[in-house]
Amino acid sequence: QKLGKSSDAEEVRAAVAAPAKMLKPGVRERDQACPWLKGFLDHEDPVVARISIESIGELCPHNMFDDIIDAAERRREARALDDRYMNQLNELCDPQSVISKKRGTPERSCERMFKFFETVGEDGKLPVTPRTVALRSLANRPTKETVEFCQKMAAVFKAQKRRPPPNFDFRLGEAAG
């Protein structure tokens, strides 16, 4: 935990990644690591923040997913999202991801995550790359709500004479069909 306070970015990154690398963490280790990891969700270094999401997803109780989404919303408000951060968030709810396959993800948390992705996808003040990841994540989730949202966003792209994210229309067609 001392390395988490280091001024060396690589040391902090290694410290935050370490808890998820434990072979068989017990209740005591999780009880110590999870609240500590939560403190890195808002870290100024986006790499540290991404690593904390991964470590929490691998190690901590599902109720901490709300803390992750809360931190993501603060990053969105601060315009501090990037594509790698968004991809890490997507890992929590993507049924094909290592985290989801290993632990599963509570549906309520994923519903909230996908609402967050909708907000990001619609936010024209954000850079294109996090918006693209959000839209791809939604297009890969074939529910009535996400298909309707993606169709709405496809119409926005068309009206603005902008290209949608790569494979967006293709994935949207798969989701609708």
Side-chain angles (χ1 to χ4, degrees), residues 152-167:
K152 177 179 111 178
M153 291 306 297
V156 168
F157 283 117
K158 188 174 184 176
Q160 294 175 351
K161 296 183 175 153
R162 292 178 32 224
R163 286 186 328 171
N167 298 323

Side-chain angles (χ1 to χ4, degrees), residues 42-169:
D42 289 310
H43 198 277
E44 61 194 26
D45 179 350
V47 176
V48 171
R50 286 194 308 271
I51 294 169
S52 70
I53 293 169
E54 181 179 6
S55 291
I56 289 170
E58 294 268 341
L59 183 70
C60 300
H62 284 132
N63 64 357
M64 289 193 69
F65 282 29
D66 283 331
D67 296 317
I68 292 170
I69 299 168
D70 291 344
E73 288 173 344
R74 288 188 294 274
R75 282 193 181 273
R76 183 189 61 79
E77 289 170 9
R79 308 282 181 247
L81 294 173
D82 64 24
D83 58 330
R84 290 173 290 187
Y85 186 89
M86 293 297 294
N87 279 320
Q88 191 62 57
L89 291 175
N90 185 52
E91 288 288 306
L92 298 175
C93 293
D94 180 350
Q96 301 304 314
S97 76
V98 173
I99 291 172
S100 290
K101 285 181 178 179
K102 183 177 175 183
R103 301 191 59 214
T105 306
E107 188 61 29
R108 186 190 66 76
S109 294
C110 288
E111 288 301 321
R112 187 170 171 219
M113 182 73 74
F114 290 118
K115 288 292 180 197
F116 170 75
F117 286 158
E118 287 180 9
T119 303
V120 170
E122 289 179 309
D123 191 340
K125 295 179 182 174
L126 287 171
V128 171
T129 55
R131 293 178 69 203
T132 299
V133 174
L135 293 172
R136 280 190 202 150
S137 298
L138 290 167
N140 284 331
R141 185 172 183 257
T143 66
K144 181 182 178 215
E145 294 82 15
T146 56
V147 169
E148 287 172 0
F149 177 79
C150 290
Q151 288 171 338
K152 177 179 111 178
M153 291 306 297
V156 168
F157 283 117
K158 188 174 184 176
Q160 294 175 351
K161 296 183 175 153
R162 292 178 32 224
R163 286 186 328 171
N167 298 323
F168 181 74
D169 291 331

Side-chain angles (χ1 to χ4, degrees), residues 30-49:
R30 287 174 195 217
D31 286 350
Q32 289 177 347
C34 293
W36 180 76
L37 287 166
K38 180 181 171 182
F40 291 95
L41 289 172
D42 289 310
H43 198 277
E44 61 194 26
D45 179 350
V47 176
V48 171

